Amino acid sequence: MISAEQLDRYAAAFTVLARLHLEPASSDTRHSVVELLPQWPILPVTTGAAEQVSTVHESAGGADPAAFTARGISLLRASVAAGETDSQVRSDQDQLYGISATALVAPFESVHLGDDHLVFDVQTLEVRAAYMRAGFQAPHLNTEPDDHIGLEIDFLGRCCLAALDALASNDLREAQEIFSQAQEFTRVHLAQWAPEMLKQAAAAAATQWVQGLEWLTAGAVAQWICDCDAVHIPVPPERQESERYE
């Protein structure tokens, strides 16, 4: 059962992860992220009854959110400790995602799920329609694909924030509707391609920073998929986690 506190934590984590996937992080940003890792807002299931852990892993397609998150955190810290440079990180993310050349692992849903494996395929338009139903729009409409991994994660983070805003206005029905849209988007879109793509990207990345980003995201996505079967949203707590990561 997802709680309002969890919504707040996902909003904070997805906002950070989306930004890091959409643009290579500068040295200052990387150091800031690593400094905040002890307060990382996603808390994967690591203990509990055997049947509960089994259910979590089954919901995430056999993934281990806690292991992915721990691996991601370790690699991000190692990157900063090793002094990986802006040039190394930019070049790695450029080659991996095809920012200026052919991608090693395309960050677009349509490439992974479309019959022709092309950008701006039918999946891109379906994602755009899902954004529109929730009142959102990709920032570079018609010039950059709407189904970039960073944009899909950003959309879910915005849904979490919108649900929390609705709850703050005592509009439980609106909050539930927004969260239901996020659940449906996860089931139809993100869960169908992102878990495998993130693991492929982690394997193909050359720097510890980008490897860590992929694993940290894989952990957050796997845990989100597990938690997305909730049907109730309680009253939200203070929004400290979101503010901390903005």
Side-chain angles (χ1 to χ4, degrees), residues 2-85:
I2 196 167
S3 67
E5 181 180 0
Q6 286 173 297
L7 284 173
D8 192 53
R9 289 174 177 273
Y10 279 118
F14 286 162
T15 297
V16 172
L17 292 171
R19 185 168 71 246
L20 295 175
H21 280 280
L22 290 168
E23 183 177 356
S26 67
S27 177
D28 287 345
T29 297
R30 298 197 303 278
H31 279 81
S32 295
V33 168
V34 168
E35 287 175 2
L36 290 170
L37 284 176
Q39 304 166 43
W40 184 243
I42 303 299
L43 303 175
V45 174
T46 56
T47 60
E51 62 271 18
Q52 291 176 322
V53 175
S54 176
T55 299
V56 166
H57 289 186
E58 182 178 352
S59 299
D64 186 341
F68 291 172
T69 299
R71 188 181 304 179
I73 289 173
S74 177
L75 284 162
L76 294 176
R77 286 173 170 162
S79 168
V80 169
E84 289 184 335
T85 67

Side-chain angles (χ1 to χ4, degrees), residues 80-101:
V80 169
E84 289 184 335
T85 67
D86 287 359
S87 176
Q88 288 174 315
V89 170
R90 281 197 305 269
S91 176
D92 187 22
Q93 198 159 333
D94 182 356
Q95 293 181 46
L96 183 67
Y97 282 174
I99 298 173
S100 64

Side-chain angles (χ1 to χ4, degrees), residues 149-217:
I149 182 65
L151 293 178
E152 292 199 6
I153 292 171
D154 181 65
F155 169 68
L156 292 172
R158 290 174 184 272
C159 285
C160 291
L161 288 174
L164 287 168
D165 287 342
L167 285 173
S169 300
N170 297 314
D171 192 341
L172 182 59
R173 178 174 296 182
E174 176 67 10
Q176 185 61 61
E177 172 61 25
I178 293 168
F179 184 65
S180 294
Q181 290 176 327
Q183 289 175 302
E184 179 69 5
F185 183 85
T186 300
R187 182 183 67 81
V188 174
H189 294 287
L190 190 76
Q192 300 302 316
W193 74 288
E196 183 60 27
M197 170 262 164
L198 291 166
K199 287 185 284 187
Q200 291 176 3
T207 60
Q208 294 181 101
W209 178 264
V210 179
Q211 292 170 8
L213 171 60
E214 303 298 339
W215 283 120
L216 188 65
T217 307

